[in-house]
Coordinates of all heavy atoms in Angstrom, one line a residue:
M1 N -10.3 -73.3 41.8 CA -11.5 -74.0 42.1 C -11.5 -74.3 43.6 O -10.4 -74.7 44.1 CB -11.6 -75.3 41.4 CG -12.7 -76.2 41.9 SD -12.7 -77.9 41.3 CE -12.9 -77.7 39.6
K2 N -12.5 -73.9 44.3 CA -12.7 -74.2 45.7 C -13.6 -75.4 45.8 O -14.5 -75.5 45.2 CB -13.3 -73.0 46.5 CG -12.5 -71.9 46.6 CD -13.2 -70.7 47.4 CE -12.4 -69.5 47.4 NZ -13.1 -68.4 48.2
I3 N -13.1 -76.4 46.7 CA -13.9 -77.6 46.9 C -14.2 -77.6 48.4 O -13.4 -77.5 49.2 CB -13.1 -78.8 46.5 CG1 -12.7 -78.8 45.1 CG2 -13.9 -80.1 46.8 CD1 -11.7 -79.9 44.7
S4 N -15.5 -77.8 48.8 CA -16.0 -77.9 50.0 C -17.2 -78.9 50.1 O -17.7 -79.3 49.0 CB -16.5 -76.5 50.6 OG -17.5 -76.1 49.7
G5 N -17.6 -79.3 51.3 CA -18.7 -80.2 51.3 C -19.1 -80.6 52.8 O -18.6 -80.2 53.7
T6 N -20.0 -81.4 52.7 CA -20.7 -82.1 54.0 C -20.5 -83.5 53.8 O -19.8 -84.1 52.8 CB -22.1 -81.7 54.2 OG1 -22.9 -82.3 53.1 CG2 -22.4 -80.2 54.2
R7 N -21.2 -84.4 54.6 CA -21.1 -85.8 54.5 C -21.8 -86.4 53.3 O -21.5 -87.4 52.9 CB -21.9 -86.4 55.7 CG -21.1 -86.2 57.0 CD -21.8 -87.0 58.1 NE -21.5 -86.4 59.4 CZ -21.7 -87.0 60.5 NH1 -22.2 -88.2 60.5 NH2 -21.4 -86.4 61.6
S8 N -22.7 -85.6 52.7 CA -23.4 -86.1 51.5 C -23.5 -85.2 50.3 O -23.9 -85.6 49.2 CB -24.8 -86.5 51.9 OG -25.6 -85.3 52.3
I9 N -22.9 -84.0 50.4 CA -22.8 -83.0 49.3 C -21.5 -82.5 49.2 O -20.9 -82.1 50.2 CB -23.8 -81.8 49.5 CG1 -25.3 -82.4 49.6 CG2 -23.7 -80.8 48.4 CD1 -25.9 -82.9 48.3
I10 N -21.0 -82.4 47.9 CA -19.7 -81.7 47.8 C -19.9 -80.6 46.7 O -20.8 -80.7 45.9 CB -18.6 -82.7 47.3 CG1 -17.2 -82.1 47.4 CG2 -18.9 -83.2 45.9 CD1 -16.2 -83.0 47.4
T11 N -19.2 -79.5 46.9 CA -19.5 -78.2 46.2 C -18.1 -77.9 45.5 O -17.1 -77.8 46.1 CB -19.9 -77.0 47.0 OG1 -21.1 -77.4 47.7 CG2 -20.1 -75.8 46.1
F12 N -18.2 -77.7 44.1 CA -17.1 -77.3 43.3 C -17.4 -75.9 42.9 O -18.3 -75.7 42.1 CB -17.0 -78.2 42.2 CG -16.7 -79.6 42.5 CD1 -17.7 -80.6 42.5 CD2 -15.5 -80.0 42.9 CE1 -17.6 -81.9 42.8 CE2 -15.2 -81.4 43.3 CZ -16.2 -82.3 43.2
D13 N -16.7 -74.9 43.3 CA -16.9 -73.5 43.0 C -15.7 -73.1 42.1 O -14.6 -73.1 42.5 CB -16.9 -72.6 44.3 CG -17.1 -71.2 44.1 OD1 -17.1 -70.7 42.9 OD2 -17.4 -70.5 45.0
Y14 N -16.1 -72.9 40.9 CA -15.1 -72.5 39.9 C -14.7 -71.0 40.0 O -13.8 -70.6 39.2 CB -15.7 -72.6 38.5 CG -15.8 -74.1 38.0 CD1 -16.8 -74.9 38.6 CD2 -14.8 -74.7 37.2 CE1 -16.8 -76.3 38.2 CE2 -14.9 -76.0 36.8 CZ -15.9 -76.8 37.3 OH -15.9 -78.1 36.9
E15 N -15.2 -70.3 40.9 CA -14.8 -68.9 41.2 C -15.0 -68.0 40.0 O -14.4 -66.9 39.9 CB -13.3 -68.8 41.8 CG -13.2 -69.7 43.0 CD -11.9 -69.7 43.6 OE1 -10.9 -70.4 43.1 OE2 -11.7 -68.8 44.4
N16 N -15.9 -68.4 39.2 CA -16.2 -67.5 38.0 C -17.7 -67.3 37.9 O -18.3 -66.9 36.8 CB -15.7 -68.0 36.7 CG -16.2 -69.4 36.3 OD1 -17.1 -70.0 37.1 ND2 -15.8 -70.0 35.2
G17 N -18.5 -67.6 39.0 CA -19.9 -67.6 39.0 C -20.6 -68.9 38.8 O -21.7 -69.2 39.2
Y18 N -19.8 -69.9 38.4 CA -20.3 -71.3 38.2 C -20.0 -72.1 39.4 O -18.8 -72.3 39.8 CB -19.8 -72.0 36.9 CG -20.3 -71.4 35.6 CD1 -19.8 -70.3 35.0 CD2 -21.4 -72.0 35.0 CE1 -20.3 -69.8 33.9 CE2 -21.8 -71.6 33.8 CZ -21.4 -70.4 33.3 OH -21.9 -70.0 32.1
V19 N -21.1 -72.7 39.9 CA -21.0 -73.6 41.1 C -21.7 -74.9 40.8 O -22.8 -74.9 40.2 CB -21.6 -72.9 42.4 CG1 -21.5 -73.8 43.6 CG2 -20.8 -71.6 42.7
L20 N -21.1 -75.9 41.2 CA -21.6 -77.3 41.0 C -21.9 -78.0 42.4 O -20.8 -78.1 43.1 CB -20.8 -78.0 40.1 CG -21.1 -79.4 39.7 CD1 -22.6 -79.4 39.0 CD2 -20.1 -80.0 38.8
K21 N -23.1 -78.4 42.7 CA -23.2 -79.2 44.0 C -23.6 -80.6 43.5 O -24.5 -80.7 42.6 CB -24.3 -78.6 44.8 CG -23.9 -77.4 45.5 CD -25.0 -76.9 46.5 CE -24.5 -75.6 47.2 NZ -25.5 -75.2 48.1
V22 N -22.9 -81.6 44.0 CA -23.2 -83.0 43.7 C -23.4 -83.8 44.9 O -22.8 -83.5 46.0 CB -22.1 -83.5 42.8 CG1 -22.0 -82.8 41.4 CG2 -20.8 -83.6 43.4
E23 N -24.0 -85.0 44.8 CA -24.2 -85.9 45.8 C -23.2 -86.9 45.9 O -22.5 -87.3 44.9 CB -25.6 -86.6 45.6 CG -26.8 -85.7 45.6 CD -28.0 -86.4 45.3 OE1 -28.1 -87.7 45.2 OE2 -29.1 -85.7 45.2
G24 N -23.0 -87.4 47.1 CA -21.9 -88.4 47.3 C -22.0 -88.9 48.8 O -22.9 -88.7 49.5
E25 N -20.9 -89.5 49.2 CA -20.8 -90.0 50.6 C -19.4 -89.8 51.1 O -18.4 -90.2 50.4 CB -21.2 -91.5 50.7 CG -22.6 -91.8 50.2 CD -22.9 -93.3 50.4 OE1 -22.3 -93.9 51.4 OE2 -23.6 -93.8 49.5
L26 N -19.3 -89.4 52.3 CA -18.0 -89.3 53.0 C -17.8 -90.7 53.7 O -18.6 -91.1 54.4 CB -18.1 -88.2 54.1 CG -16.8 -87.9 54.9 CD1 -15.6 -87.6 54.0 CD2 -17.0 -86.9 55.9
L27 N -16.8 -91.2 53.4 CA -16.4 -92.6 53.9 C -15.6 -92.5 55.2 O -15.0 -91.5 55.5 CB -15.7 -93.4 52.9 CG -16.3 -93.5 51.5 CD1 -15.5 -94.4 50.6 CD2 -17.7 -94.2 51.7
T28 N -15.6 -93.6 56.0 CA -14.9 -93.6 57.2 C -13.4 -93.4 57.2 O -12.7 -93.0 58.1 CB -15.2 -94.9 57.9 OG1 -14.8 -96.0 57.2 CG2 -16.6 -95.0 58.4
D29 N -12.8 -93.7 56.0 CA -11.4 -93.5 55.8 C -11.1 -92.0 55.4 O -9.9 -91.7 55.2 CB -10.8 -94.4 54.8 CG -11.3 -94.2 53.4 OD1 -12.1 -93.3 53.1 OD2 -10.9 -94.9 52.5
G30 N -12.1 -91.2 55.3 CA -11.8 -89.8 55.0 C -12.0 -89.4 53.6 O -11.8 -88.3 53.2
S31 N -12.2 -90.4 52.8 CA -12.3 -90.1 51.3 C -13.7 -89.8 51.0 O -14.7 -90.0 51.8 CB -11.8 -91.3 50.5 OG -12.6 -92.5 50.8
F32 N -14.0 -89.3 49.9 CA -15.4 -88.9 49.4 C -15.7 -89.5 48.1 O -14.9 -89.4 47.1 CB -15.5 -87.4 49.4 CG -16.9 -86.9 49.3 CD1 -17.7 -86.5 50.4 CD2 -17.5 -86.8 48.1 CE1 -19.0 -86.1 50.4 CE2 -18.8 -86.4 48.0 CZ -19.6 -86.1 49.2
I33 N -16.8 -90.3 48.0 CA -17.3 -90.8 46.7 C -18.3 -89.9 46.1 O -19.3 -89.5 46.8 CB -17.9 -92.1 46.9 CG1 -16.9 -93.1 47.6 CG2 -18.6 -92.7 45.7 CD1 -15.8 -93.5 46.7
V34 N -18.1 -89.5 44.9 CA -19.0 -88.5 44.1 C -19.8 -89.4 43.2 O -19.3 -90.2 42.4 CB -18.4 -87.5 43.4 CG1 -19.2 -86.6 42.5 CG2 -17.6 -86.5 44.4
Y35 N -21.2 -89.3 43.2 CA -22.0 -90.0 42.2 C -22.0 -89.1 41.0 O -22.6 -88.1 41.0 CB -23.4 -90.2 42.7 CG -23.4 -90.9 44.1 CD1 -24.0 -90.5 45.2 CD2 -22.7 -92.2 44.2 CE1 -24.1 -91.1 46.4 CE2 -22.7 -92.9 45.3 CZ -23.4 -92.4 46.4 OH -23.4 -93.1 47.7
R36 N -21.4 -89.7 39.9 CA -21.4 -88.9 38.6 C -22.9 -88.7 38.2 O -23.1 -87.7 37.5 CB -20.7 -89.7 37.6 CG -19.2 -89.7 37.7 CD -18.5 -90.4 36.6 NE -18.7 -89.9 35.3 CZ -17.6 -89.3 34.6 NH1 -16.5 -89.5 35.1 NH2 -17.8 -88.8 33.5
S37 N -23.7 -89.6 38.4 CA -25.2 -89.4 38.0 C -25.8 -88.2 38.6 O -26.9 -87.7 38.1 CB -26.0 -90.7 38.3 OG -26.0 -90.8 39.7
S38 N -25.3 -87.7 39.7 CA -25.9 -86.5 40.3 C -25.3 -85.2 39.7 O -25.8 -84.1 40.1 CB -25.6 -86.5 41.8 OG -24.3 -86.3 42.1
I39 N -24.4 -85.3 38.8 CA -23.9 -84.0 38.1 C -24.8 -83.8 36.9 O -24.6 -84.4 35.9 CB -22.5 -84.4 37.7 CG1 -21.5 -84.8 38.9 CG2 -21.9 -83.1 37.1 CD1 -20.1 -85.1 38.5
Q40 N -25.7 -82.8 37.1 CA -26.6 -82.6 36.0 C -26.7 -81.1 35.6 O -26.6 -80.9 34.4 CB -28.0 -83.1 36.4 CG -28.0 -84.6 36.6 CD -29.5 -85.1 36.9 OE1 -30.3 -84.4 37.0 NE2 -29.4 -86.4 37.2
N41 N -26.8 -80.2 36.5 CA -27.0 -78.8 36.3 C -26.1 -77.9 37.1 O -25.8 -78.4 38.3 CB -28.4 -78.3 36.4 CG -29.3 -79.0 35.4 OD1 -29.5 -80.2 35.3 ND2 -29.8 -78.0 34.5
W42 N -25.8 -76.7 36.8 CA -25.0 -75.7 37.5 C -26.1 -75.2 38.6 O -27.3 -75.4 38.5 CB -24.5 -74.7 36.8 CG -23.6 -75.1 35.7 CD1 -23.8 -75.2 34.3 CD2 -22.1 -75.4 35.8 NE1 -22.7 -75.7 33.7 CE2 -21.6 -75.8 34.6 CE3 -21.3 -75.4 37.0 CZ2 -20.3 -76.2 34.4 CZ3 -20.0 -75.9 36.9 CH2 -19.4 -76.2 35.6
E43 N -25.5 -74.6 39.6 CA -26.3 -73.9 40.6 C -26.9 -72.6 40.0 O -26.2 -72.1 39.1 CB -25.6 -73.7 41.9 CG -25.3 -75.0 42.7 CD -26.5 -75.5 43.2 OE1 -27.3 -74.9 43.9 OE2 -26.8 -76.8 42.7
P44 N -28.0 -72.1 40.5 CA -28.5 -70.7 40.0 C -27.4 -69.6 40.1 O -26.5 -69.8 41.0 CB -29.6 -70.4 40.9 CG -30.1 -71.7 41.5 CD -28.8 -72.6 41.5
P45 N -27.3 -68.8 39.2 CA -28.2 -68.5 38.1 C -28.0 -69.2 36.8 O -28.8 -69.0 35.8 CB -28.0 -67.0 37.9 CG -26.6 -66.8 38.0 CD -26.3 -67.8 39.2
Y46 N -27.2 -70.2 36.8 CA -26.9 -71.0 35.6 C -27.6 -72.3 35.6 O -27.1 -73.2 34.8 CB -25.4 -71.1 35.4 CG -24.7 -69.8 35.4 CD1 -23.9 -69.4 36.5 CD2 -24.8 -69.0 34.3 CE1 -23.3 -68.2 36.4 CE2 -24.2 -67.7 34.3 CZ -23.4 -67.4 35.3 OH -22.8 -66.1 35.4
N47 N -28.6 -72.6 36.4 CA -29.3 -73.8 36.6 C -30.0 -74.3 35.4 O -30.4 -75.5 35.3 CB -30.1 -73.9 37.8 CG -31.2 -72.8 37.8 OD1 -30.9 -71.7 37.3 ND2 -32.3 -73.1 38.3
H48 N -30.1 -73.5 34.4 CA -30.8 -73.9 33.2 C -29.8 -74.4 32.1 O -30.3 -75.0 31.2 CB -31.5 -72.6 32.5 CG -30.6 -71.6 32.1 ND1 -30.1 -70.7 33.0 CD2 -30.1 -71.2 30.8 CE1 -29.2 -70.0 32.4 NE2 -29.2 -70.2 31.0
I49 N -28.6 -74.4 32.5 CA -27.6 -75.0 31.6 C -27.2 -76.3 32.1 O -26.6 -76.5 33.1 CB -26.3 -74.0 31.6 CG1 -26.7 -72.6 31.2 CG2 -25.2 -74.5 30.7 CD1 -25.5 -71.6 31.3
P50 N -27.4 -77.4 31.2 CA -27.0 -78.7 31.6 C -25.5 -78.9 31.4 O -24.9 -78.2 30.7 CB -27.8 -79.6 30.6 CG -28.1 -78.7 29.5 CD -28.2 -77.3 30.0
I51 N -25.0 -79.8 32.3 CA -23.5 -80.1 32.3 C -23.3 -81.2 31.3 O -23.9 -82.2 31.4 CB -23.0 -80.4 33.7 CG1 -23.3 -79.2 34.5 CG2 -21.6 -80.9 33.6 CD1 -23.1 -79.4 36.0
T52 N -22.4 -81.0 30.4 CA -22.1 -82.0 29.3 C -21.1 -83.1 29.9 O -20.5 -82.8 30.9 CB -21.5 -81.4 28.2 OG1 -20.2 -80.9 28.4 CG2 -22.3 -80.3 27.5
E53 N -21.1 -84.1 29.2 CA -20.2 -85.3 29.6 C -18.7 -84.8 29.6 O -17.9 -85.2 30.4 CB -20.4 -86.5 28.7 CG -19.8 -87.8 29.3 CD -20.4 -88.2 30.6 OE1 -21.7 -88.1 30.8 OE2 -19.7 -88.7 31.4
N54 N -18.5 -84.0 28.6 CA -17.1 -83.4 28.4 C -16.8 -82.6 29.6 O -15.6 -82.6 30.2 CB -17.0 -82.6 27.0 CG -15.6 -82.1 26.8 OD1 -14.7 -82.9 27.1 ND2 -15.5 -80.9 26.2
E55 N -17.7 -81.7 30.2 CA -17.4 -80.9 31.3 C -17.2 -81.8 32.6 O -16.3 -81.4 33.4 CB -18.6 -79.9 31.5 CG -18.6 -78.8 30.5 CD -19.9 -78.0 30.5 OE1 -21.0 -78.6 30.8 OE2 -19.8 -76.8 30.4
I56 N -18.0 -82.8 32.6 CA -17.7 -83.8 33.8 C -16.4 -84.4 33.7 O -15.7 -84.4 34.7 CB -18.8 -84.9 33.8 CG1 -20.2 -84.2 34.1 CG2 -18.5 -85.9 34.8 CD1 -21.3 -85.2 33.8
D57 N -15.9 -84.8 32.5 CA -14.5 -85.4 32.4 C -13.5 -84.4 32.7 O -12.5 -84.7 33.4 CB -14.4 -85.9 30.9 CG -15.2 -87.1 30.6 OD1 -15.7 -87.7 31.6 OD2 -15.4 -87.3 29.4
K58 N -13.7 -83.1 32.5 CA -12.8 -82.0 32.8 C -12.8 -81.8 34.2 O -11.6 -81.6 34.8 CB -13.1 -80.8 32.0 CG -12.8 -80.7 30.5 CD -13.1 -79.4 29.9 CE -12.8 -79.4 28.5 NZ -13.0 -78.2 27.8
L59 N -13.9 -81.9 34.9 CA -14.0 -81.7 36.3 C -13.2 -82.8 37.0 O -12.4 -82.6 37.9 CB -15.4 -81.8 36.8 CG -15.7 -81.9 38.3 CD1 -15.2 -80.7 39.1 CD2 -17.2 -82.1 38.6
V60 N -13.4 -84.1 36.6 CA -12.7 -85.2 37.1 C -11.2 -85.0 37.0 O -10.4 -85.3 37.9 CB -13.2 -86.5 36.5 CG1 -12.3 -87.7 36.9 CG2 -14.7 -86.8 36.8
E61 N -10.8 -84.7 35.8 CA -9.4 -84.5 35.6 C -8.8 -83.3 36.4 O -7.7 -83.6 37.1 CB -9.3 -84.2 34.1 CG -7.8 -83.9 33.6 CD -7.7 -83.6 32.1 OE1 -8.3 -84.4 31.4 OE2 -7.1 -82.7 31.8
E62 N -9.5 -82.3 36.6 CA -8.9 -81.2 37.4 C -8.9 -81.5 38.9 O -7.9 -81.3 39.6 CB -9.8 -79.9 37.3 CG -9.2 -78.8 38.0 CD -9.9 -77.4 37.8 OE1 -10.7 -77.3 36.8 OE2 -9.6 -76.5 38.5
V63 N -10.0 -82.3 39.4 CA -10.0 -82.7 40.8 C -8.8 -83.7 41.1 O -8.1 -83.7 42.0 CB -11.3 -83.3 41.1 CG1 -11.2 -84.0 42.5 CG2 -12.4 -82.3 41.2
N64 N -8.6 -84.6 40.1 CA -7.5 -85.7 40.3 C -6.0 -84.9 40.2 O -5.2 -85.3 40.9 CB -7.6 -86.7 39.2 CG -8.7 -87.6 39.3 OD1 -9.1 -87.9 40.5 ND2 -9.1 -88.2 38.3
F65 N -6.1 -83.9 39.4 CA -4.7 -83.0 39.3 C -4.4 -82.3 40.6 O -3.4 -82.3 41.1 CB -4.8 -82.1 38.2 CG -3.6 -81.2 38.1 CD1 -2.5 -81.7 37.6 CD2 -3.7 -79.9 38.5 CE1 -1.3 -80.8 37.4 CE2 -2.6 -79.1 38.5 CZ -1.4 -79.5 37.9
R66 N -5.5 -81.8 41.3 CA -5.4 -81.1 42.5 C -5.2 -81.9 43.8 O -4.7 -81.5 44.8 CB -6.6 -80.2 42.8 CG -6.6 -79.0 41.8 CD -7.9 -78.3 41.9 NE -7.9 -77.0 41.0 CZ -7.6 -75.9 41.4 NH1 -7.1 -75.6 42.6 NH2 -7.7 -75.0 40.5
M67 N -5.5 -83.2 43.7 CA -5.5 -84.1 44.9 C -4.0 -84.4 45.2 O -3.2 -84.7 44.3 CB -6.2 -85.3 44.7 CG -7.6 -85.3 45.0 SD -8.4 -86.9 45.1 CE -8.2 -87.5 43.4
T68 N -3.7 -84.3 46.5 CA -2.4 -84.7 47.1 C -2.7 -85.7 48.1 O -3.8 -85.9 48.6 CB -1.5 -83.5 47.5 OG1 -2.1 -83.0 48.7 CG2 -1.5 -82.5 46.4
E69 N -1.6 -86.2 48.8 CA -1.8 -87.1 49.9 C -2.3 -86.4 51.1 O -2.9 -86.9 52.0 CB -0.4 -87.7 50.3 CG 0.0 -88.7 49.3 CD 1.4 -89.4 49.6 OE1 1.7 -89.3 50.9 OE2 2.0 -89.9 48.7
Q70 N -2.2 -85.0 51.1 CA -2.6 -84.2 52.3 C -4.1 -83.7 52.1 O -4.7 -83.2 53.0 CB -1.8 -82.9 52.6 CG -0.4 -83.2 53.0 CD 0.6 -83.8 52.0 OE1 0.5 -83.5 50.8 NE2 1.4 -84.7 52.5
T71 N -4.7 -83.9 50.9 CA -6.0 -83.5 50.8 C -7.0 -84.6 50.8 O -6.5 -85.9 50.6 CB -6.2 -82.8 49.4 OG1 -6.0 -83.8 48.4 CG2 -5.3 -81.6 49.2
I72 N -8.2 -84.4 51.0 CA -9.2 -85.5 50.9 C -9.2 -86.1 49.6 O -9.0 -85.4 48.5 CB -10.7 -85.0 51.3 CG1 -11.6 -86.1 51.5 CG2 -11.2 -84.0 50.2 CD1 -12.9 -85.7 52.3
Q73 N -9.3 -87.5 49.5 CA -9.4 -88.1 48.3 C -10.8 -88.2 47.7 O -11.7 -88.7 48.4 CB -8.8 -89.6 48.4 CG -7.3 -89.6 49.0 CD -6.4 -88.8 48.1 OE1 -6.3 -89.3 47.0 NE2 -5.8 -87.7 48.5
I74 N -11.0 -87.8 46.5 CA -12.3 -87.8 45.9 C -12.3 -88.8 44.7 O -11.4 -88.7 43.8 CB -12.6 -86.4 45.4 CG1 -12.6 -85.4 46.6 CG2 -14.0 -86.4 44.7 CD1 -12.8 -83.9 46.2
E75 N -13.3 -89.6 44.7 CA -13.4 -90.6 43.7 C -14.8 -90.5 43.0 O -15.8 -90.4 43.8 CB -13.3 -92.0 44.2 CG -13.3 -93.1 43.1 CD -13.2 -94.5 43.6 OE1 -12.8 -94.6 44.8 OE2 -13.6 -95.4 42.9
F76 N -14.9 -90.5 41.7 CA -16.1 -90.3 41.0 C -16.5 -91.7 40.5 O -15.8 -92.4 39.9 CB -15.9 -89.4 39.7 CG -15.7 -88.0 40.1 CD1 -14.4 -87.7 40.5 CD2 -16.5 -87.0 40.0 CE1 -14.1 -86.3 40.9 CE2 -16.4 -85.8 40.4 CZ -15.1 -85.4 40.7
I77 N -17.8 -92.2 40.8 CA -18.3 -93.4 40.4 C -19.6 -93.2 39.8 O -20.3 -92.2 39.9 CB -18.5 -94.4 41.5 CG1 -19.4 -93.8 42.7 CG2 -17.1 -94.7 42.1 CD1 -19.8 -94.9 43.7

């Protein structure tokens, strides 16, 4: 998974064609807050497929697994 973003959008690219863009905020301490409520659909061409709560939980788990002290800290609220 590739994770990239701006001050208000973070992109999770699963590298299998599925891409997820979600809203959030880059904080002054360098961490990023992701709004779980903005996680709804995949990016085209899979935008007709809604994201389930189970998939959101798996995303949170994978992001937490990949975070280290050297990477940006991402928190889901």
